Amino acid sequence: MDLPPERPVSLRNQTCVYCGLALSPSNKTREHVIGRRFVPDGKLQGQWNLILNACRPCNSHKADLEDDISAITLQPDSWGRYGHDDVSAIEDAQRKAKDSRSRRTRKAVKDSSEHIKIQGTLGPGINLSFQYSSPPQVDENRAFELARLQLMAFFYMQTYNSETRRGGYWLHGYHPILTASRSDWGNPLMVGFMRTIESWDCRLLAISANGFFKLITRKHPLAETWAWALEWNQNCRLIGFFGQLDPAQDIVNSLPRLEAKMVYQAPNESLSYRVETPLKEDEDTLFLVFDETAQRDA
């Protein structure tokens, strides 16, 4: 499926892309699948998007998810580093940090850095004190829910019939695996997933908003199972499957485990950590397609 590079794909669907409800003038809203305020201000100008109809409750639900996830994924890492040098995007990140409230901490995003302090003893006269800090964190359940809605919309587009004004919904289920910030895109699980699916047929590759939104789906060679990956705001990546569970589970079982080291353990409390692993640019193939099978119907 060829996506026009400079104008949106617009559907006139008669069922809600997210819940399947039959739409009427009273409950129908126009929905931008890549939210205009989800990516930095102005990045969708002159770039493609997917615009379709959704019912009012689903549209509101998605907008609520987008609000704090957008603000958080635009923030720098623990060392103040961004994944880009776009000045306008950095300024928009600072504005959103003030205006958006993290659903995880119930505070403004700018005040939602997370801190852990644990104190203990190793023996008489030997005290231990550990303090760890991180930038604002996305609630994983909310992130996977937003990913599910975005994936549903693009699958609906791929199966859309302009005569009936309806699209399809995948069968069997949605199976998210992991979210990771840029500083950890090279962890063994992410890399194992990337290497496993890179030879599968690419069914959709969607890159827009000057690279601040990326999506790819690939079809399992033998099953009704699709692998998917999303990248938000050059900061957060999510991976998983939809479709038949068993083939997806077999692959997950074969992937490396993420091992954490125990720092401190006491009755009713413990602290473990895992060193983040960045991904070298020349080893990043998650959103690369190497042959002409890049864009096919679902």
Side-chain angles (χ1 to χ4, degrees), residues 53 162 274:
N53 296 322
S162 59
R274 182 176 59 81

Side-chain angles (χ1 to χ4, degrees), residues 48-248:
W48 68 264
N49 201 343
L50 175 57
I51 303 174
L52 35 67
N53 296 322
C55 72
R56 200 172 302 278
C58 284
N59 202 341
S60 297
H61 173 55
K62 179 169 173 284
D64 178 72
L65 293 167
E66 290 171 335
D67 178 57
D68 68 323
I69 293 175
S70 171
I72 293 170
T73 57
L74 282 168
Q75 300 309 304
D77 64 17
S78 299
W79 293 271
R81 300 174 303 191
Y82 291 88
H84 55 83
D85 56 4
D86 190 307
V87 174
S88 65
I90 293 172
E91 291 174 347
D92 197 40
Q94 294 169 346
R95 179 186 62 77
K96 286 184 175 181
K98 298 176 183 178
D99 295 344
S100 295
R101 184 169 294 271
S102 167
R103 307 310 192 267
R104 179 179 169 117
T105 66
R106 307 298 178 186
K107 301 176 183 177
V109 168
K110 70 179 181 65
D111 299 322
S112 292
S113 297
E114 300 194 18
H115 308 278
I116 298 175
K117 185 175 182 179
I118 293 182
Q119 294 178 315
T121 62
L122 284 179
I126 304 175
N127 299 318
L128 291 177
S129 179
F130 299 97
Q131 182 162 329
Y132 296 86
S133 300
S134 72
Q137 301 295 300
V138 170
D139 181 282
E140 187 175 72
N141 290 331
R142 287 173 59 80
F144 283 143
E145 173 65 1
L146 178 58
R148 183 183 71 87
L149 296 177
Q150 291 176 343
L151 289 160
M152 286 183 72
F154 280 101
F155 192 86
Y156 191 98
M157 175 194 74
Q158 290 178 277
T159 56
Y160 182 69
N161 183 314
S162 59
E163 293 183 0
T164 63
R165 296 188 185 179
R166 294 171 183 264
Y169 304 87
W170 66 64
L171 302 176
H172 307 298
Y174 169 65
H175 321 298
I177 299 174
L178 184 69
T179 67
S181 59
R182 173 178 283 271
S183 57
D184 198 34
W185 287 356
N187 75 60
L189 180 53
M190 292 286 289
V191 171
F193 176 87
M194 179 170 64
R195 298 291 177 242
T196 297
I197 70 164
E198 63 186 357
S199 63
W200 295 9
D201 285 346
C202 178
R203 296 304 173 91
L204 180 70
L205 176 62
I207 300 176
S208 188
N210 285 348
F212 282 85
F213 179 89
K214 297 180 182 180
L215 176 151
I216 193 168
T217 63
R218 293 181 182 270
K219 177 73 165 51
H220 191 292
L222 300 174
E224 290 298 300
T225 300
W226 289 258
W228 58 265
L230 279 158
E231 181 183 313
W232 293 332
N233 292 320
Q234 301 189 30
N235 184 327
C236 179
R237 283 186 175 178
L238 306 91
I239 57 173
F241 298 95
F242 60 81
Q244 292 177 336
L245 174 60
D246 287 348

